[in-house]
């Protein structure tokens, strides 16, 4: 077991780079990249960092030189022979050769494209421009770098014993959470914590704790590198960027309204089995389900992200029943800001009514709340989202208007097209 406190105390970035492999990313990124490479390799997309926690002024905590060093290091990475062999030969979701030879040829030659970095009002403005299949690969590394550099900035100057006590407290917290979850009947839970983790070594420690503490109830991790090294399942499907780009490329309002379903049609053609999980909240869950084509209800399940989990789960059950489906055969994955109390509440409410899965993210891999003065290590809500596609602005509405992204006029247009009425804002923790 790695002595994390000593590694943090003695680290230099050349020994412990924040992102140490092309595979130090989430599995859904590779799945989406393959689909993008197959269908949309000529689309040009801009991604940008957005720190929703504006009270944390990252440009005053994270040194610009260190940030550039880490970003430049990522640009030097390439897939190793062993990593390529794992992707080509491993079984994912029961399927061998999940990744086509054409995509693997591209990935083996892939290098991260350039980035643009500047400071504005105490925050970093970090953007990535270029072919969609290349810029999409920056999302997870960029977020991981900013979060870990913030952690290092806060911890800088602490002594070895101070760090040992801090990490001992954090480890105890994680282990106590795991012990509480262990009692839930039929638990299925995965690590979704790469993008806003405290650090790579800490995420790896949390995964090892889950393996030992939860046994078969722990399904795996979204992090490809950790999945490979720990010989566990890599898990994930797709994300909001697909409908955001498809919608931005729509030429008419009819095409705009149909964009989320075009995403699913393409995904269904590319992937089958357990990868058929809908993510309906990009432009409002209720309207999405109301207008979904009949074939969508036959999919494996649904990921309930930005809606209140109880409300969202009940809506999914009612929708499946209205479409002649038995909810007990369906899977609901909950993933938004989960921690133990919320998981226990969701499980108690829905257990036995549908199959349940949990993607435990930031509050697994970055719960240092209260362990540093003035909340210096409390997790922040920071995202890397599509800004534009082929020069057209991208929009996300979400079930929670606090998470809406895009120019104001475009947001209003999307609300009209997708029949989104009044929404109640919910606080965003992470």
């Amino acid at each position: 077991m790695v002595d994390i406190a000593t590694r943090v105390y003695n680290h230099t970035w050349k020994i412990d780079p924040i992102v140490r492999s092309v595979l130090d990313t989430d599995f859904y990124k590779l799945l989406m990249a393959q689909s993008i490479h197959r269908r949309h390799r000529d689309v040009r997309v801009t991604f940008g960092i957005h720190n929703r926690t504006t009270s944390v002024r990252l440009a005053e905590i994270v040194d610009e030189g260190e940030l550039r060093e880490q970003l430049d290091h990522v640009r030097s990475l390439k897939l190793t022979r062993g990593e390529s062999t794992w992707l080509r030969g491993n079984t994912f979701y029961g399927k061998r050769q999940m990744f086509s030879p054409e995509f693997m040829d591209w990935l083996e030659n892939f290098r991260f494209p350039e980035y643009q970095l500047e400071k504005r009002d105490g925050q970093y403005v970090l953007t990535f421009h270029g072919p969609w299949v290349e810029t999409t690969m920056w999302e997870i590394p960029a977020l991981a770098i900013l979060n870990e550099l913030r952690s290092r900035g806060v911890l800088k100057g602490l002594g070895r014993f101070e760090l040992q006590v801090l990490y001992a407290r954090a480890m105890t917290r994680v282990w106590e959470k795991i012990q509480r979850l262990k009692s839930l009947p039929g638990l299925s839970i995965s690590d979704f914590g790469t993008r806003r983790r405290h650090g790579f070594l800490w995420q790896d420690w949390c995964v090892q704790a889950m393996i030992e503490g939860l046994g078969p109830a722990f399904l795996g991790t979204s992090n490809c590198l950790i999945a490979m090294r720990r010989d566990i399942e890599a898990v994930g499907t797709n994300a909001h960027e697909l409908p955001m780009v498809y919608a931005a490329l729509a030429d008419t309002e009819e095409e705009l309204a149909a964009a989320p379903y075009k995403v699913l049609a393409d995904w269904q053609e590319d992937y089958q089995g357990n990868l058929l999980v809908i993510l309906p909240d990009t432009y409002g869950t209720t309207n999405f389900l109301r207008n979904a084509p009949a074939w969508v209800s036959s999919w494996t399940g649904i990921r309930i992200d930005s809606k209140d989990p109880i409300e969202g789960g009940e809506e999914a059950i009612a929708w499946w029943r209205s479409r002649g489906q038995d909810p007990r055969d369906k899977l609901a994955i909950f993933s938004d800001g989960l921690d133990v109390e919320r998981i226990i509440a969701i499980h108690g409410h829905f257990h036995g009514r549908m199959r349940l899965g949990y993607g435990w993210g930031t509050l697994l891999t970055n719960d240092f709340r209260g362990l540093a003065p003035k909340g210096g290590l409390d997790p922040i809500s920071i995202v890397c989202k599509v800004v534009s596609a082929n020069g057209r602005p991208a929009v996300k509405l979400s079930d929670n208007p606090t998470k809406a992204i895009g120019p104001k006029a475009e947001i209003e247009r999307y609300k009209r097209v997708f029949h989104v009425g009044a929404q109640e804002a919910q606080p965003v923790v992470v």
Side-chain angles (χ1 to χ4, degrees), residues 53-232:
T53 311
T54 54
S55 60
V56 176
R57 299 168 67 85
L58 286 174
E60 298 174 2
I61 301 171
V62 173
D63 178 78
E64 182 177 346
E66 292 181 2
L67 175 55
R68 289 186 180 276
E69 280 187 324
Q70 295 290 346
L71 294 170
D72 290 341
H73 175 72
V74 170
R75 297 198 64 216
S76 74
L77 295 173
K78 61 181 181 179
L79 204 67
T80 69
R81 182 177 298 179
E83 291 166 346
S84 177
T85 299
W86 181 73
L87 286 174
R88 286 180 181 270
N90 196 41
T91 298
F92 301 100
Y93 287 100
K95 180 180 178 179
R96 292 189 65 84
Q97 294 184 329
M98 179 71 78
F99 300 102
S100 70
E102 294 77 15
F103 176 71
M104 287 304 306
D105 288 345
W106 173 84
L107 188 62
E108 287 166 353
N109 290 287
F110 167 72
R111 301 294 183 274
F112 285 84
E114 294 181 358
Y115 60 88
Q116 290 74 44
L117 178 67
E118 60 180 287
K119 293 180 180 179
R120 190 180 302 160
D121 192 27
Q123 302 292 347
Y124 281 113
V125 179
L126 178 58
T127 53
F128 312 96
H129 310 275
W132 186 10
V133 71
E134 296 180 7
T135 55
T136 189
M137 298 291 285
W138 262 118
E139 179 191 358
I140 307 300
L143 290 171
I145 285 168
L146 282 166
N147 277 281
E148 186 161 348
L149 282 178
R150 181 207 173 206
S151 298
R152 292 183 179 186
V154 171
L155 296 175
K156 194 175 295 182
L158 266 62
R160 183 177 301 171
F161 288 99
E162 287 181 286
L163 286 169
Q164 286 177 336
V165 170
L166 183 145
Y167 281 105
R169 288 173 175 168
M171 288 175 177
T172 300
R173 178 177 290 175
V174 170
W175 189 249
E176 288 175 346
K177 290 182 182 184
I178 290 172
Q179 293 306 300
R180 291 185 65 193
L181 291 175
K182 196 174 184 177
S183 65
L184 296 181
L187 177 69
S188 293
I189 192 166
S190 303
D191 157 45
F192 274 19
T194 301
R195 69 184 61 203
R196 289 190 286 264
R197 67 194 182 194
H198 173 76
F200 174 82
L201 296 177
W202 182 250
Q203 182 184 11
D204 187 45
W205 186 92
C206 290
V207 166
Q208 292 178 73
M210 297 271 276
I211 293 170
E212 181 172 321
L214 293 178
F218 178 56
L219 297 187
T221 176
S222 63
N223 187 287
C224 297
L225 182 61
I226 294 175
M228 183 184 72
R229 289 183 174 181
R230 300 296 169 194
D231 194 24
I232 56 178

Side-chain angles (χ1 to χ4, degrees), residues 8-77:
V8 169
Y9 181 77
N10 291 328
H11 87 79
T12 65
W13 80 270
K14 292 179 181 178
I15 297 173
D16 271 336
I18 290 172
V19 175
R20 53 201 72 202
S21 165
V22 173
L23 289 189
D24 189 6
T25 192
D26 282 339
F27 187 56
Y28 80 88
K29 271 292 158 184
L30 299 184
L31 294 171
M32 289 196 301
Q34 176 168 246
S35 189
I36 294 165
H37 180 263
R38 180 176 297 162
R39 299 175 180 276
H40 304 288
R41 64 183 70 182
D42 295 328
V43 173
R44 299 188 69 81
V45 168
T46 297
F47 280 77
I49 292 289
H50 175 56
N51 180 14
R52 298 187 187 118
T53 311
T54 54
S55 60
V56 176
R57 299 168 67 85
L58 286 174
E60 298 174 2
I61 301 171
V62 173
D63 178 78
E64 182 177 346
E66 292 181 2
L67 175 55
R68 289 186 180 276
E69 280 187 324
Q70 295 290 346
L71 294 170
D72 290 341
H73 175 72
V74 170
R75 297 198 64 216
S76 74
L77 295 173

